[in-house]
Amino acid sequence: MRKRALLPIALTAAAVLGQAVPAQAVDLPYQNRTGVGMPVPARDQAVSPQRMRELAVAFVQPSADNLDASLDKMAEAGVRRAQIVASWTGICQKRDECDWSKLDAYFAKAAKRGISTAVHINSTPDWVHPDLVDTVENYGERIWYPPTRTPEELAEFEKFVTTLASRYRGKVESYEIWNEENWRDFYKPVEDPADYAKLLRSGYLSVKAADPRAKVIFGGTTRTDPGFVREVYAAVRKYPDAVQSRHFFDLMGAHPYTDDRHPDDHDPGKVRENAAGGEFDDNFLGIDRLYSEMVRQGDADKQIYLGEFSYSSVRTWMGLVPDDRRAFYLRRVMELTAQRPYVSGLSWFVWSETRPEDEWRGWTLLEYPDKPTRTYLELAELTGASPTERAPRLMLGDGTASVDRLPSNVERVELYLEGVRAASGTSFPLTFTPPARGTTQLAQAVLYTGDGRTIQTTTAWLSAGRPAVQVSHPKVKATRNVDVTAGLKVTGPVLLRVIDASGDVVMTMPLGVGTGRQTRFDALVALDDPGTYQLSVHDPRGRRLADPALLEVVQ
C-alpha cells in the first residue's frame, strides 16, 4: 500500500505579503497530477468575537439537575450552541419502551433560551444483541458493539434513529453517528472502516428520511485519523447511492485531544500509523491533515466538526493543566479553530459538573452548580460577552523576550515557541535559547496575575538567520531551506510549485495575495509517490521568488 506524505510547510518571505487565501474560496484541487495541496490559514491572524460565538459549543448533560443554571451560564458567556448525547442504551432500555422525558425537558429549556443543538447518537442496548450477554461479561463493553452484525440489528438502529429524528424534527441542527469508531474501546470487537461505513449509511438515510434539513456528522474519531477516514471513503463508495447521498455525511467529525500539550505544539513524532497503515495524528493541528484528506476525496466543500475537546485541571488519563494555564490553552484552541473556515464548531467537553465533584471534575468550565472557572471567563472574553483589555505586545530580541507594558500584580510569566514552553519566570525580560538558524517559530507570552487573571500577549514570528521551509512528517526530510531575497516586494498571487525528479510540475497551488508586507504562508502538500521533489515559490508571471527547496518523500 502506498504511503501518502502530508507536509505542513511554512514559507516565510522576507518581504512578501498579505493573508492566506481561505481554503473554501479556492478552486481545489488545482488539477494536480499527483497528491493534493491546500492553503492553511496563518496562525497569527486576528479573529472576531462573532466568529468565536459561531464556533463555541457546550457539551451539556441533559439529565443534570443544574441544567437550568448551566444553560443560563451558556447565555452569559455568549455560547448559543449545545451538544447532547442521545444514548440508545439509556433511552430504550427495553424493546419498544423508550423514555424520552429527559430529552423532552432539555429541548423545552433550550428553546426558551434560543440554544441550537447537536445530538450525538451512540451505544447499543442489550436487547438488540442478547447473545452477547452470555459471551461478554462487562456491560460497559457490550454497549460499544455496534448494531451491525445482522440485518435485524441494523433495522433496530434505523428504527431508533428515525424515531429520534422525527420526534425532534426542526429542533436539532445535526446528528453525529457513533463515537470514536476508529478505536476499539468504542467499536467492538475491533475498529472496522467497512463496518462503520454500513452504520454511517444507515444513520444518514434514517435521519434524512425523518428530518431532511438536519445535518449528519461522521462520528468523531479519537484524535484525527485521516488513514481511517480514507478507508471509510473507500468502503462508502461501494454503495451505489454514495455519490447522490454525499458519502453519507454532511460534516466530518474529530476529537483532536492533545493530552496536556499546547495546541500549537505540533510534534512530528505524534504522527504515526494506525491499525490500517494510514496516518493517525495526535496533534491538534492534525485537523489540517484531516481536511486535506477530505479535499483529496472531493469533499473540499464540507467542514469539520470538533465534537469533543478539552484539558483537565486535575490529573486523569490526560496530564494536568492548571486552570489558569488551561484558560490560555482554550484561547489558543479557539483562535486556531476560528482561523480555519473549514471548521464548523468546537464542543468543550464537559460544560458543567452535574453534582459536586462528579466524575468530570477538572474537565468542566463550571463547577457545581454554576461556579465559573478561569477557563470559562476566558471563553466569555473571547465571545465578547465580557470586556477584555488590549493584549500587551510581545517584543523579541536576541534570546530575550519582554512586553511593551506590564500589567500590575503579575506573579509569573511564560514564553512559548511553537506551543512549547521555552522560558518562565517571575518577571520580564525572559531569556531563552533562540531557534536554530534558518528556522522560524511562532512566539507568545502569557502573564498570570495575583487576582487570577490570565493575560496573553500578541503573537510574533521569531526568525533566526533566514526564512525556511518547515516539514512535519516522520517520513519526509527537507534537504535544504528556502531562501527569500531580502527586500523583495510582490503584489498579487504567490504560487507554490512542486516539481518531481523528471522536471515535471506535479502540483501548483496558490498561497495567498501579496501586498508588499512581510508575512508567512502555510500550506499542506500531500504527495502519493516517494521520491525527491523540488518546491519553488513564484509570482503569477512565473518569476521565482525564492530559491528552491528539495524534499525527499520516503516510502
Side-chain angles (χ1 to χ4, degrees), residues 311-388:
Y311 295 97
S312 176
S313 60
V314 301
R315 192 166 300 281
T316 63
W317 57 272
M318 295 204 325
L320 179 155
V321 180
D323 188 39
D324 54 1
R325 185 178 295 142
R326 187 176 68 148
F328 169 44
Y329 285 10
L330 172 137
R331 174 178 286 270
R332 198 67 193 123
V333 164
M334 292 299 295
E335 288 173 343
L336 291 169
T337 302
Q339 289 158 5
R340 285 156 170 74
Y342 39 88
V343 178
S344 69
L346 182 146
S347 175
W348 186 272
F349 184 89
V350 180
W351 182 251
S352 175
E353 292 177 323
T354 59
R355 60 185 182 278
E357 300 193 16
D358 72 5
E359 61 180 321
W360 299 114
R361 181 169 180 80
W363 298 79
T364 64
L365 297 187
L366 296 174
E367 297 177 2
Y368 186 88
D370 59 354
K371 179 184 177 183
T373 62
R374 181 66 195 90
T375 313
Y376 168 93
L377 298 175
E378 193 75 29
L379 180 61
E381 290 183 11
L382 285 168
T383 64
S386 62
T388 183

Side-chain angles (χ1 to χ4, degrees), residues 410-480:
V410 172
E411 293 188 338
R412 76 180 198 277
V413 293
E414 298 174 335
L415 176 70
Y416 288 81
L417 300 181
E418 292 296 309
V420 178
R421 213 174 322 152
S424 61
T426 57
S427 63
F428 287 107
L430 291 174
T431 59
F432 64 95
T433 301
R437 183 174 179 82
T439 63
T440 61
Q441 293 184 327
L442 187 69
Q444 188 172 25
V446 59
L447 296 67
Y448 303 98
T449 69
D451 56 2
R453 290 186 299 154
T454 305
I455 303 171
Q456 294 83 20
T457 69
T458 57
T459 56
W461 288 109
L462 177 65
S463 298
R466 56 181 187 263
V469 169
Q470 295 182 339
V471 179
S472 299
H473 193 280
K475 296 184 181 300
V476 178
K477 295 183 291 185
T479 57
R480 64 187 295 263

Side-chain angles (χ1 to χ4, degrees), residues 541-552:
R541 297 183 182 180
R543 293 177 299 190
R544 197 169 69 193
L545 304 178
D547 291 336
L550 295 180
L551 293 180
E552 182 183 354

